[in-house]
Amino acid sequence: MGILNKLDNSVEQFESGNIIITSMDKLLNWSRLSSMWQMFFGLACCAIEMMATSASHYDLDRFGIIPRPSPRHVDIILISGTVTLKMATRIKRLYDEMPAPKYILSMGSCANCGGPYWEHGYHVLKGIDRIIPVDVYVPGCPPRPEALLEGLIKLQERIRNQSLAKHIA
Amino acid sequence: MEINEIYNKLKSVFGEGIGELKTDLPVRPFFFADASKIDAVALFLRDEESMQFDNLSCLSGVDYDKDNLAVVYHLCSYALGHQLVVKCLVPKSDPKIKSVSDVWAAAEWHEREAFDLVGMIFEGNPDLRRILLPEDWEGHPLRKDYKVPEFYNGMKIPY
Ligand code: SF4
C-alpha cells in the first residue's frame, strides 16, 4: 500500500473496505511530490549531467519525473546550465506558461550566479533568480548526478512541508 | 603549392592589391589584401587551376587596432591540399567590405557572425542580420571599446 507508507502515521484506514482518512495537505503534497513532471530542455554542459541523471543508471523515472515537451504539462523546470540573456527571455515565457503550483531547480554555477561568465559574460544572466523564483540551488560545475538527485530530494521535502493554509517561504 | 608560390602568383596578378607576406610570426603565414579587391581575389583563389581553394574553413572578424577592424579568411583546398590565410583591414570609421558569400556559400553565416559581434558591413551578403545575439541587441560586443550595458530588457547584466 504505497500511499499508506508515504503518508505516514496520520493516515487512518477503516478495518474493512477501501476508505482511508488523511488531511488534504498531506494528500495534495504526496501527489505533487510523487509526479514532478519536468520541462524537457537543457542549456549547456550541465544538461549533459541532467541527461545522465535521466538515463537508466540514475533513473529519474523512479521519482515520477518524466520530461514533457510542453510547459502546460509540467510541474518543475530544471534550469540546467548557462542562461544567456536571449534564452532568459524564453525561459521567463515558458515559466509563465506553466500551470501553478510550479517549482524551479537551478542546476550548476551558471544558473545559480553566472558561473565562469560572471565577469566577462556580457551575454549571460548572472543567476536565474534575477527573473524567476528558485526553490532549490544545486552547486557545482557541473554537479554530478548524485548532487542533482540530492537537489530533487530536497525539492520533494520542500513540497512535503507545504500547506494550503500556511505560506512557506 | 608552397605558400611562396601562391603568394607570388597572386602578387603578379593583383600587384599593389596584395601586401607583404609575413612568415616570421608564430602563426600561419599570411598577407593583407586590399579590402576593395577581396571579391576578385576570392574568385581567383577559388577558380584558378593551380589554386583551387574550394573551402573557406573560417572567416573571422577582429578588432585589429585603434583605427581598423580586420576580416581574416582561412582557406584550404581539398583538391590540392594547401592552405592560405588572407587578411583585410576595414576602417572603423566606415566598416564596409565586399561579401564573399557568392564565392563560398559558407561565408554567409560567418559574415553574419562577424557583423553581429564586431560590426563590419558585408556588402552583397543576402541576409545580413544578427545571428547569435538577440535581434534587438545594441552594439557589437567584441569591439574593444564596447561597454557592457547595465540592463537588457529589464534584466540586470553586470554581476
Ligand atoms: S555550471 Fe559549469 S558545467 Fe554547468 S553549464 Fe555552467 S560552465 Fe557548464
Side-chain angles (χ1 to χ4, degrees):
Chain A
M1 289 292 273
I3 185 165
L4 291 181
N5 299 338
K6 292 273 169 52
L7 290 178
D8 69 48
N9 51 15
S10 62
V11 177
E12 281 179 45
Q13 186 180 28
F14 285 80
E15 228 16 61
S16 59
N18 298 329
I19 299 173
I20 56 170
I21 299 180
T22 182
S23 73
M24 195 64 197
D25 270 350
K26 292 229 154 92
L27 185 68
L28 274 183
N29 291 348
W30 168 77
S31 53
R32 279 175 189 163
L33 70 85
S34 313
S35 73
M36 304 192 293
W37 285 8
Q38 176 208 347
M39 183 73 207
F40 186 48
F41 86 132
L43 292 181
C45 5
C46 273
I48 303 292
E49 294 298 299
M50 181 194 71
M51 289 176 232
T53 319
S54 334
S56 52
H57 196 89
Y58 294 95
D59 195 14
L60 274 188
D61 272 15
R62 64 202 158 114
F63 298 107
I65 298 178
I66 304 174
R68 301 293 299 176
S70 157
R72 309 276 183 211
H73 300 176
V74 303
D75 309 292
I76 65 168
I77 180 164
L78 295 182
I79 309 293
S80 51
T82 318
V83 183
T84 59
L85 293 164
K86 196 176 181 180
M87 192 67 200
T89 321
R90 275 84 173 161
I91 290 182
K92 177 83 173 84
R93 176 161 176 193
L94 288 173
Y95 175 76
D96 289 342
E97 286 179 1
M98 286 164 61
K102 43 192 170 185
Y103 305 95
I104 294 169
L105 186 143
S106 162
M107 175 183 184
S109 304
C110 282
N112 293 345
C113 63
Y117 310 97
W118 71 278
E119 190 172 11
H120 298 295
Y122 62 87
H123 58 308
V124 173
L125 185 70
K126 315 293 185 303
I128 188 70
D129 49 10
R130 288 187 180 185
I131 54 165
I132 51 179
V134 175
D135 291 282
V136 174
Y137 297 85
V138 178
C141 180
R144 282 190 53 92
E146 291 90 334
L148 179 56
L149 290 177
E150 166 99 27
L152 288 164
I153 291 167
K154 279 269 180 306
L155 184 58
Q156 289 192 324
E157 265 168 37
R158 217 176 134 79
I159 299 177
R160 186 173 284 125
N161 293 324
Q162 281 184 149
S163 162
L164 287 175
K166 296 197 295 286
H167 178 74
I168 304 206
Chain B
M1 276 207 288
E2 288 301 310
I3 181 71
N4 285 321
E5 295 173 73
I6 298 175
Y7 175 76
N8 290 336
K9 183 140 193 175
L10 273 175
K11 189 86 185 155
S12 67
V13 177
F14 292 97
E16 287 301 291
I18 302 291
E20 183 195 343
L21 179 68
K22 297 217 170 52
T23 49
D24 51 350
L25 297 171
V27 291
R28 281 196 215 161
F30 69 90
F31 56 83
F32 282 98
D34 192 338
S36 61
K37 298 222 173 70
I38 187 62
D39 50 341
V41 173
L43 209 56
F44 179 82
L45 286 171
R46 188 192 69 180
D47 291 345
E48 162 70 25
E49 200 60 31
S50 58
M51 301 285 182
Q52 296 188 41
F53 285 100
D54 43 21
N55 181 30
L56 175 76
S57 20
C58 192
L59 182 156
S60 357
V62 185
D63 188 339
Y64 208 76
D65 56 27
K66 203 160 106 293
D67 302 316
N68 292 297
L69 307 174
V71 184
V72 186
Y73 303 84
H74 282 82
L75 301 168
C76 81
S77 164
Y78 280 115
L80 304 177
H82 51 213
Q83 295 177 327
L84 185 66
V85 180
V86 185
K87 298 188 183 185
C88 284
L89 287 181
V90 190
K92 281 186 183 170
S93 51
D94 181 29
K96 294 207 178 78
I97 181 168
K98 296 232 177 63
S99 167
V100 294
S101 56
D102 47 356
V103 181
W104 298 285
E108 188 185 332
W109 281 20
H110 286 238
E111 288 178 351
R112 282 178 63 187
E113 186 185 350
F115 158 71
D116 190 359
L117 301 178
V118 193
M120 51 281 277
I121 312 289
F122 292 89
E123 291 175 313
N125 184 306
D127 185 24
L128 196 65
R129 289 176 295 137
R130 287 191 185 276
I131 191 171
L132 296 172
L133 291 167
E135 274 162 33
D136 56 356
W137 193 268
E138 278 168 25
H140 303 283
L142 294 196
R143 291 270 186 110
K144 290 196 173 124
D145 57 0
Y146 181 76
K147 290 266 174 315
V148 176
E150 203 55 29
F151 285 93
Y152 168 72
N153 279 351
M155 293 178 277
K156 184 161 172 271
I157 303 181
Y159 183 72

